[in-house]
């Protein structure tokens, strides 16, 4: 368990908080490029790290991201006119460019220099891999962007959903491989899984042995289970500063995917999955639906983006009859199963009440790494891991079968490298239930 003080430090991300300060050291995905499809189009409300922001695309195609409240008297710039290379408040006509500089102040005398004294909080933005990234930190010159392999390709496939809970309890689900054989595959018998598949190995020994190591990018774990004679099936996955996870599904060496758990605020999180290759169609795997859950149409309010139809207010459309017969949870899609359990903990889970076991080794180490880094930044001004070295993010995750006498870290060095082709590998190496 955590102390109440450390739990607060871990979870709170608003301006002035230690974890919020840590996250503002990094470039943060703020929106999809497709959410601002045209120059001088409609502005977009963006709730990010506890701040209300307005995003817009200028006539030249540049992205602006600035405070919601006009610096004059607080009217919302969401209602502003997107004109040329700036956003004009409709209340008194004050206009701001993407840097936050006031470029027109028509309510003041022409000879006044008052506009030179007025500035809106604005954050620099760049576009890469179909995403709008922003830097909300203190540096005049931002650090380099992370070399996350799937985000550096124009062919990246992006799925994004909103989760109504704190970012950390959502991320913890991604770095907890132990729940897979219960929450997602609890109703599947090992004999039902195809021989030699990852599902057979995982279901035959639901409690793996865990090894956790710290890395330059964050934390990595290996979860080992017996495979064939004299071999071990390893599920290898990563936490990467400040809020990324690489899950262990798929074949190590071929899986190019990362998920960002982006805090909108303390109680709302965007789950953004970025991957290379064709997105899998909806299908049934181990009696579970693999594929994107149905979402509601986006609205313009602060929490109106990327909401699932199945939610707490309808009990995630749980089917109790199916739970008795064919499904461990009665909740259809794998993503929704994760959403139900993490949201059920409340907006911000009180970790002083928990009781952790050996299967929580990765969760424990990740929390410690984050808390230590936030305190080091707050108390010593120490730059967090990965901020100034984008190359530490060049890694992969996935599953692999190794001879049992091999060290899994040493044996997978090349398979875990990003931007490396492995022509001898195929996606059916571990066969059976497809990756999710």
């Amino acid at each position: 368990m955590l102390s109440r003080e450390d739990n607060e430090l871990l979870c709170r991300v608003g301006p002035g908080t230690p974890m919020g300060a840590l996250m503002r050291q990094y470039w943060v995905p703020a929106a999809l490029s497709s959410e601002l499809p045209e120059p001088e189009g409609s502005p977009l409300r963006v709730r990010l790290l506890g701040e209300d922001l307005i995003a817009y695309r200028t006539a030249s195609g540049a992205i602006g991201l600035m405070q919601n409240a006009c610096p004059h008297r607080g009217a919302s710039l969401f209602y502003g006119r997107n004109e040329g290379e700036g956003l004009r408040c409709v209340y008194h006509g004050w206009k701001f460019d993407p840097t936050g500089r006031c470029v027109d102040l028509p309510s003041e005398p022409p000879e006044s220099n008052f506009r030179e004294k007025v500035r809106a909080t604005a954050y620099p933005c760049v576009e890469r891999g179909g995403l709008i990234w922003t830097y909300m930190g203190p540096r005049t010159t931002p650090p380099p962007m992370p070399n996350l392999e799937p985000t550096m390709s124009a062919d990246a496939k992006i799925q994004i959903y909103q989760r109504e809970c704190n970012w950390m309890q959502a991320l913890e689900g991604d770095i907890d491989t132990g729940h897979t054989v219960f929450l997602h595959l609890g109703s599947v018998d090992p004999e039902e899984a195809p021989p030699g598949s990852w599902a057979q190995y995982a279901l035959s020994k639901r409690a793996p042995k865990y090894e956790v190591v710290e890395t330059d990018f964050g934390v990595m774990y290996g979860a080992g289970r017996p495979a064939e004679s004299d071999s071990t099936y390893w599920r290898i996955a990563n936490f990467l500063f400040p809020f990324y996870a690489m899950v262990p599904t798929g074949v190590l060496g071929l899986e190019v995917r990362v998920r960002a758990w982006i805090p909108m605020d303390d109680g709302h999180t965007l789950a953004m999955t970025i991957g290379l290759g064709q997105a899998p169609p909806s299908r049934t795997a181990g009696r579970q639906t693999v594929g994107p859950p149905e979402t509601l149409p986006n609205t313009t309010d602060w929490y109106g983006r990327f909401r699932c139809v199945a939610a707490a207010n309808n009990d995630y459309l749980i089917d109790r009859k199916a739970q008795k017969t064919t499904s461990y949870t009665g909740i259809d899609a794998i993503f929704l199963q994760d959403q139900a359990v993490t949201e059920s903990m409340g907006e911000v889970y009180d970790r002083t009440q928990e009781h952790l076991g050996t299967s929580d080794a990765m969760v424990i180490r990740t929390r410690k790494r984050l808390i230590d880094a936030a305190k080091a930044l707050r108390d010593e001004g120490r730059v967090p891991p990965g901020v100034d070295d984008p190359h530490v993010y060049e890694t992969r995750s996935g599953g692999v079968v190794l001879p049992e006498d091999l060290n899994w870290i040493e044996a997978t060095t090349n398979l875990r490298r990003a931007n490396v082709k492995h022509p001898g590998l195929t996606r059916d190496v571990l066969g059976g239930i497809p990756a999710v």
Side-chain angles (χ1 to χ4, degrees):
M1 69 176 66
L2 289 182
S3 68
R4 195 169 302 280
E5 177 186 18
D6 279 350
N7 194 51
E8 287 290 298
L9 185 148
L10 182 67
C11 296
R12 306 298 179 182
V13 297
T17 62
M19 193 58 67
L22 180 141
M23 291 190 176
R24 285 166 173 79
Q25 296 285 312
Y26 300 85
W27 283 93
V28 176
L32 303 179
S33 291
S34 59
E35 292 185 87
L36 295 174
E38 58 185 11
E40 295 185 287
S42 299
L44 175 73
R45 286 189 176 103
V46 175
R47 182 87 172 135
L48 190 61
L49 299 185
E51 298 186 35
D52 289 339
L53 305 171
I54 303 299
Y56 64 101
R57 190 181 294 276
T58 71
S60 66
I63 300 296
L65 184 67
M66 66 174 62
Q67 66 184 67
N68 171 60
C70 177
H72 182 203
R73 282 166 52 191
S76 173
L77 290 171
F78 173 76
Y79 302 106
R81 296 173 57 87
N82 190 352
E83 298 179 355
E85 295 306 306
L87 194 60
R88 187 184 297 276
C89 180
V90 294
Y91 199 5
H92 296 91
W94 292 23
K95 183 178 179 180
F96 301 88
D97 71 9
T99 70
R101 186 171 58 99
C102 185
V103 294
D104 190 23
L105 208 159
S107 63
E108 295 295 311
E111 65 275 10
S112 171
N113 67 350
F114 183 49
R115 69 180 177 88
E116 298 172 8
K117 304 175 183 179
V118 177
R119 198 169 192 90
T121 298
Y123 299 117
C125 294
V126 297
E127 293 184 86
R128 189 178 78 182
L131 298 173
I132 296 169
W133 301 72
T134 188
Y135 175 69
M136 302 171 68
R139 298 187 186 186
T140 303
T141 301
M145 296 179 66
N147 288 1
L148 288 159
E149 186 177 8
T151 72
M152 302 180 74
S153 171
D155 297 326
K157 309 295 182 184
I158 302 172
Q159 293 181 346
I160 181 170
Y161 308 101
Q162 186 180 151
R163 192 166 288 185
E164 294 185 7
C165 67
N166 185 256
W167 73 280
M168 190 62 199
Q169 66 206 53
L171 180 143
E172 286 174 354
D174 259 6
I175 59 175
D176 163 26
T177 191
H179 80 272
T180 301
V181 293
F182 298 100
L183 183 68
H184 305 316
L185 299 174
S187 61
V188 181
D189 190 272
E191 282 70 35
E192 297 180 58
S197 68
W198 75 261
Q200 182 191 50
Y201 303 144
L203 293 170
S204 297
K205 186 175 174 59
R206 295 185 189 252
K209 65 174 182 179
Y210 290 88
E211 296 185 17
V212 180
V213 295
E214 294 187 3
T215 67
D216 291 339
F217 57 73
V219 188
M220 175 176 68
Y221 74 80
R225 294 178 170 96
E228 306 306 324
S229 177
D230 301 325
S231 66
T232 302
Y233 166 55
W234 288 97
R235 288 169 64 86
I236 299 170
N238 306 310
F239 158 73
L240 307 93
F241 274 92
F243 44 54
Y244 299 103
M246 290 181 176
V247 297
T249 50
V251 177
L252 184 64
L254 297 182
E255 189 71 12
V256 182
R257 178 168 47 152
V258 66
R259 184 172 291 134
W261 293 101
I262 306 163
M264 301 171 71
D265 51 30
D266 295 340
H268 298 81
T269 303
L270 289 181
M272 183 182 292
T273 305
I274 310 108
L276 295 184
Q278 185 66 37
S282 292
R283 57 197 172 193
T284 298
R287 304 176 183 162
Q288 310 299 326
T289 299
V290 179
E294 184 181 0
T295 55
L296 298 167
N298 280 1
T299 62
T300 59
D301 61 278
W302 292 110
Y303 301 111
R305 301 158 64 212
F306 313 113
R307 295 169 300 164
C308 293
V309 171
N313 61 7
N314 55 29
D315 295 321
Y316 308 94
L317 303 178
I318 188 169
D319 184 335
R320 294 293 188 183
K321 182 178 179 181
Q323 189 179 35
K324 292 283 189 183
T325 55
T326 61
S327 167
Y328 191 74
T329 62
I331 298 170
D332 183 39
I334 286 176
F335 186 88
L336 293 175
Q337 294 163 5
D338 288 317
Q339 183 143 334
V341 295
T342 55
E343 289 185 351
S344 73
M345 301 173 188
E347 280 197 353
V348 181
Y349 178 57
D350 179 5
R351 290 174 178 80
T352 66
Q353 303 300 307
E354 67 187 359
H355 299 79
L356 301 180
T358 57
S359 64
D360 300 304
M362 178 64 174
V363 170
I364 293 168
R365 187 73 65 89
T366 298
R367 291 177 185 175
K368 185 177 188 305
R369 196 87 203 275
L370 278 162
I371 291 169
D372 288 349
K375 289 180 177 179
L377 175 64
R378 179 194 65 189
D379 300 338
E380 307 166 30
R382 191 186 309 167
V383 177
V387 169
D388 290 316
D389 187 356
H391 299 290
V392 302
Y393 292 91
E394 296 170 359
T395 189
R396 293 176 179 174
S397 64
V400 63
V401 175
L402 299 173
E404 64 179 8
D405 59 343
L406 291 185
N407 177 285
W408 66 274
I409 299 175
E410 296 174 357
T412 61
T413 298
N414 196 47
L415 289 174
R416 288 185 284 108
R417 289 195 179 107
N419 307 302
V420 176
K421 294 186 181 299
H422 301 283
L425 287 180
T426 61
R427 293 196 178 274
D428 61 357
V429 167
L430 296 177
I433 297 174
V436 297

